[in-house]
């Protein structure tokens, strides 16, 4: 399957129904695979962060997590079938993993991933999942101990949620040390699953304009990302469209 190119980043044009099966195929393959996503915020950062762009292009699977990316790709003459966000697919993953695969979820403030894991276990009691927060030192003995805890748990999938570009940098520097078949960057999913952050508005708003839903939930922190970031993304898409002669 040919990847869709937006700002020099390749995106796999898959549907949500294909996401979990493809990841589980990677688990079964036994090779070291890395999975991640792009949305408007991530793609904007790649325009000034070449290391992030390289990381995304080296992913085994890179999927779309934002309707803005779908629309931007369409304006460039490309097609991405749908977006898939962690707050939705995490339940699919838990359902498929229950009784079959072990998970390890690291990221967020202390307690967030634990609360998210407990929410998953309420619906899937046999789910094997261990957690850790994302504020460990980035070097030295404590960092090594963090990696050792992950490997001692023998997970099939390690979920890393630290926000972009922190999570991508963390994975890039440690992927070779993590024994799990799949390491998956998934952003702030734990905040939503734990209930610490709510998805504001009706379902149609969340499904079609989740950026606005998130802005309504936390305007003071996110107004620049969405109001300025979205405008910048549109300007870059227009420039890319002109460059391509689309």
């Amino acid at each position: 399957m040919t990847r869709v190119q937006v700002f020099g980043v390749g995106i796999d044009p898959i549907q949500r129904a294909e996401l979990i099966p493809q990841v589980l195929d990677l688990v079964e393959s036994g090779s070291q695979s890395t999975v991640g996503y792009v949305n408007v915020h991530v793609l904007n950062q790649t325009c000034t962060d070449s290391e992030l762009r390289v990381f995304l292009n080296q992913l085994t699977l890179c999927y779309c997590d934002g309707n803005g990316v779908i629309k931007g790709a369409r304006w460039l003459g490309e097609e991405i079938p749908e977006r898939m966000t962690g707050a939705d697919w995490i339940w699919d993953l838990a359902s498929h993993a229950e009784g079959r695969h072990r998970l390890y979820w690291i990221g967020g403030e202390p307690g967030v991933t634990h609360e998210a894991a407990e929410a998953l276990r309420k619906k899937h009691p046999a789910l094997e999942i261990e957690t850790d927060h994302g504020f460990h030192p980035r070097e030295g003995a404590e960092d090594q101990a963090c990696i050792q805890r992950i490997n001692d748990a023998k997970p099939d999938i390690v979920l890393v949620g630290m926000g972009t570009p922190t999570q991508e940098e963390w994975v890039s520097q440690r992927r070779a040390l993590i024994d799990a078949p799949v390491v998956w960057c998934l952003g702030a999913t734990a905040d939503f699953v734990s209930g610490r952050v709510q998805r504001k508005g009706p379902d149609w708003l969340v499904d079609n304009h989740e950026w606005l839903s998130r802005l309504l939930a936390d305007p003071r922190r996110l107004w620049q990302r969405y109001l300025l970031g979205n405008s910048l993304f549109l300007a870059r898409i227009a420039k890319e469209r002109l460059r391509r002669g689309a």
Side-chain angles (χ1 to χ4, degrees):
M1 182 182 297
T2 302
R3 285 183 162 178
V4 171
Q5 296 291 323
V6 180
F7 301 162
V9 175
I11 307 164
D12 292 295
I14 64 172
Q15 297 179 338
R16 177 177 164 182
E18 300 173 279
L19 179 63
I20 301 304
Q22 288 199 20
V23 171
L24 296 183
D25 284 345
L26 295 175
V27 171
E28 295 300 325
S29 76
S31 61
Q32 283 200 337
S33 300
T34 309
V35 178
Y37 65 91
V38 295
N39 54 30
V40 166
H41 178 60
V42 173
L43 286 177
N44 271 338
Q45 290 188 71
T46 66
C47 294
T48 56
D49 186 340
S50 60
E51 291 184 1
L52 175 60
R53 185 169 62 253
V54 169
F55 175 86
L56 293 171
N57 281 324
Q58 292 176 342
L59 290 174
T60 314
L61 177 62
C62 181
Y63 60 93
C64 173
D65 177 20
N67 285 314
V69 176
I70 294 175
K71 293 174 182 176
R74 188 172 297 140
W75 292 336
L76 296 176
E78 308 272 13
E79 283 296 327
I80 297 173
E82 62 180 315
R83 65 113 189 202
M84 49 212 84
T85 189
D88 297 324
W89 61 248
I90 193 69
W91 302 97
D92 301 332
L93 176 62
S95 176
H96 283 81
E98 185 177 18
R100 301 181 186 91
H101 301 291
R102 290 186 296 273
L103 309 181
Y104 196 104
W105 199 344
I106 180 170
E109 296 179 357
V112 174
T113 51
H114 174 75
E115 293 169 14
E118 287 301 301
L120 294 179
R121 272 194 288 251
K122 284 183 180 179
K123 190 171 182 179
H124 303 284
L127 179 66
E128 294 183 72
I129 179 169
E130 297 191 35
T131 64
D132 200 350
H133 65 81
F135 286 85
H136 298 287
R138 296 294 188 252
E139 58 185 14
E142 289 189 49
D143 181 57
Q144 295 173 21
C146 175
I147 300 302
Q148 190 61 53
R149 285 195 298 274
I150 294 173
N151 289 336
D152 287 347
K154 300 186 184 305
D156 298 298
I157 300 173
V158 177
L159 303 171
V160 183
M162 302 175 183
T164 298
T166 302
Q167 62 192 9
E168 290 84 3
E169 292 173 355
W170 191 92
V171 171
S172 178
Q173 294 165 5
R174 294 161 184 80
R175 183 62 186 99
L177 303 175
I178 298 174
D179 297 334
V182 172
V183 174
W184 190 341
C185 297
L186 78 166
T189 300
D191 290 336
F192 295 98
V193 178
S194 67
R196 293 200 182 191
V197 175
Q198 301 296 321
R199 302 171 92 180
K200 296 284 187 179
D203 289 345
W204 67 264
L205 179 65
V206 173
D207 291 341
N208 295 283
H209 303 285
E210 186 159 16
W211 69 271
L212 183 54
S213 172
R214 294 195 64 185
L215 180 62
L216 291 172
D218 194 356
R220 293 184 64 182
R221 184 173 69 88
L222 297 175
W223 73 271
Q224 285 186 311
R225 174 186 296 191
Y226 292 121
L227 297 183
L228 299 183
N230 287 358
S231 299
L232 183 59
F233 179 77
L234 289 173
R236 284 171 167 155
I237 286 290
K239 182 178 180 180
E240 178 68 7
R241 182 183 170 97
L242 287 172
R243 187 188 69 81
R244 295 189 186 188

